[in-house]
Amino acid sequence: MLVEFELIQKAQQGDASAFSQVVTAYRRRILGTISRLIGRPEDVEDVGQEVFMRLYFSLGQLRTPEVFEPWLYRLTVNACYDYLRKSKRRLESRMADLSDQQVMMADAVAGSKAQLDETEKHRVRDTVNGMLAAVSEEDRILLTMKEVEGLSLKELETIYGVNENALKVRLFRARQRVLKKLKGVTEAPLPSAKSDKAG
Amino acid sequence: MFDRAKQDDRFVAGNVPTDEASAQLERLFHAYREACPDPEPGVHFMPELWAKIEARESSTNLFGRMAKALVTAALAASMILGFLLSTASQPGSTYNGTYLDALMADHASGLEPLNIERISELEQQ
């Protein structure tokens, strides 16, 4: 928890200053999650404000402050779903469209722990975004929450309102689909090799 | 036999074992997390948030006021109607005779006597 339970309770009772403190504590983390879920930097703040606005109007429904974080993540995921539905926008790149350089980068990144410079970071972003865009929106959000945001199964259980076993199954299948996409691309012959053979 | 099948399950669509592929995927996700740091919120984030909250609150209040006004008007209308109905159904205002008596009483003053004399004149012609 980034804030004390008492602060959340004060915010629940309508204390605007306490609410502002809660927002200040969580906004950066929530904006980060949103940016990784929707993939459009220009809309991140708008969606973030929508999340905190929903928080403001529904804080009274929170029974125990202990579940505040999963609850905030649930609001975040729902706001992202709403945004994606509204804009009807999927991440445009597909794994099949990724350049060979990006594919090689995926391998290089996976095998090395070296610090990434900006160009490499950009390529990693493109690679993973493309890889995740190849699976369904539900799988993409679930995988991002688990693997990138680092949420535990227990937290995901609270967010999604399903039991741990069902989540494990969904996560396993989502990972298999992503792995399949990853492997499908890494095993594809390079265009340059094709042209060499043709020549 | 079972162990062999289990071992085969470790392979996905090629020669790379599942564990290795999973580890590769995890490293890729980790690198992605590093490549996508949490963005710093803009200076207008909080003022804009409060402005949005206030705008929604005022629209909610306006809706609430309209709903209240409608409920009050409906209540007043139903009270007026109730009052009118109760006064209309008071015993003094009802006619105790039959339907024909009522018709006669109503039309008696408006009826002109038949011009018997003129008819008789025509008959004479």
Side-chain angles (χ1 to χ4, degrees):
Chain A
M1 286 283 284
L2 296 178
V3 292
E4 299 291 325
F5 291 152
E6 288 77 26
L7 195 65
I8 295 167
Q9 280 167 339
K10 277 184 184 174
Q12 274 185 308
Q13 287 155 13
D15 187 333
S17 162
F19 180 75
S20 286
Q21 285 179 61
V22 172
V23 175
T24 308
Y26 280 96
R27 64 182 174 181
R28 196 154 178 255
R29 190 196 277 189
I30 293 300
L31 290 181
T33 303
I34 293 167
S35 75
R36 289 180 284 276
L37 288 179
I38 69 170
R40 283 189 79 171
E42 65 271 23
D43 292 334
V44 169
E45 286 212 354
D46 273 347
V47 180
Q49 284 164 349
E50 177 65 31
V51 170
F52 287 112
M53 196 160 63
R54 289 181 187 187
L55 176 71
Y56 180 84
F57 287 107
S58 58
L59 202 54
Q61 293 166 22
L62 182 70
R63 286 175 200 162
T64 51
E66 287 82 0
V67 293
F68 173 74
E69 280 188 358
W71 198 65
L72 181 57
Y73 272 110
R74 183 194 281 187
L75 292 179
T76 307
V77 170
N78 286 340
C80 289
Y81 269 129
D82 291 346
Y83 167 83
L84 292 167
R85 272 190 215 113
K86 206 182 282 181
S87 61
K88 289 183 181 172
R89 182 188 172 276
R90 289 296 314 270
L91 294 171
E92 282 149 13
S93 57
R94 293 283 180 273
M95 195 59 182
D97 300 332
L98 293 175
S99 68
D100 299 329
Q101 261 189 326
Q102 286 171 328
V103 172
M104 285 160 70
M105 192 60 214
D107 282 343
V109 165
S112 137
K113 286 180 182 175
Q115 279 288 329
L116 303 170
D117 66 19
E118 273 311 307
T119 319
E120 285 171 337
K121 282 179 180 176
H122 184 72
R123 286 177 187 167
V124 169
R125 281 197 291 269
D126 282 354
T127 304
V128 176
N129 284 340
M131 202 168 66
L132 289 173
V135 296
S136 72
E137 203 165 274
E138 287 76 19
D139 283 353
R140 185 171 64 80
I141 289 178
L142 180 63
L143 273 175
T144 307
M145 297 302 278
K146 176 74 177 75
E147 308 292 350
V148 184
E149 302 304 320
L151 265 68
S152 67
L153 281 171
K154 196 86 185 160
E155 285 169 319
L156 287 171
E157 207 180 314
T158 315
I159 292 168
Y160 282 89
V162 293
N163 66 42
E164 199 175 312
N165 286 335
L167 265 177
K168 278 180 182 170
V169 170
R170 274 183 68 177
L171 270 167
F172 177 78
R173 285 179 184 159
R175 281 177 70 96
Q176 291 301 306
R177 285 186 200 110
V178 170
L179 278 170
K180 210 172 172 182
K181 293 287 169 191
L182 182 67
K183 275 201 63 62
V185 173
T186 51
E187 284 177 352
L190 300 174
S192 57
K194 274 183 192 169
S195 60
D196 286 348
K197 278 180 189 173
Chain B
M1 184 75 175
F2 177 72
D3 284 343
R4 174 75 184 170
K6 213 173 169 184
Q7 202 177 6
D8 286 344
D9 281 347
R10 293 175 64 242
F11 292 81
V12 283
N15 298 323
V16 183
T18 308
D19 291 346
E20 194 184 316
S22 290
Q24 189 184 18
L25 188 66
E26 263 167 39
R27 285 196 294 272
L28 194 57
F29 278 134
H30 184 74
Y32 179 70
R33 181 71 182 83
E34 278 184 13
C36 302
D38 296 341
E40 201 63 51
V43 287
H44 300 297
F45 185 84
M46 288 302 281
E48 279 176 11
L49 172 64
W50 278 112
K52 284 181 180 179
I53 287 172
E54 278 162 19
R56 188 171 289 186
E57 262 182 342
S58 64
S59 69
T60 310
N61 287 346
L62 181 71
F63 181 77
R65 278 202 299 272
M66 281 170 64
K68 263 185 190 173
L70 275 172
V71 168
T72 312
L75 205 68
S78 61
M79 281 174 72
I80 291 166
L81 277 173
F83 176 75
L84 287 175
L85 281 173
S86 68
T87 53
S89 62
Q90 273 174 4
S93 64
T94 52
Y95 192 80
N96 289 329
T98 62
Y99 179 64
L100 278 174
D101 292 339
L103 273 178
M104 281 172 69
D106 191 39
H107 291 283
S109 57
L111 287 175
E112 287 177 9
L114 291 169
N115 197 350
I116 304 293
E117 288 170 14
R118 200 161 64 87
I119 291 170
S120 59
E121 279 169 18
L122 283 171
E123 280 170 349
Q124 282 170 4
Q125 284 173 0

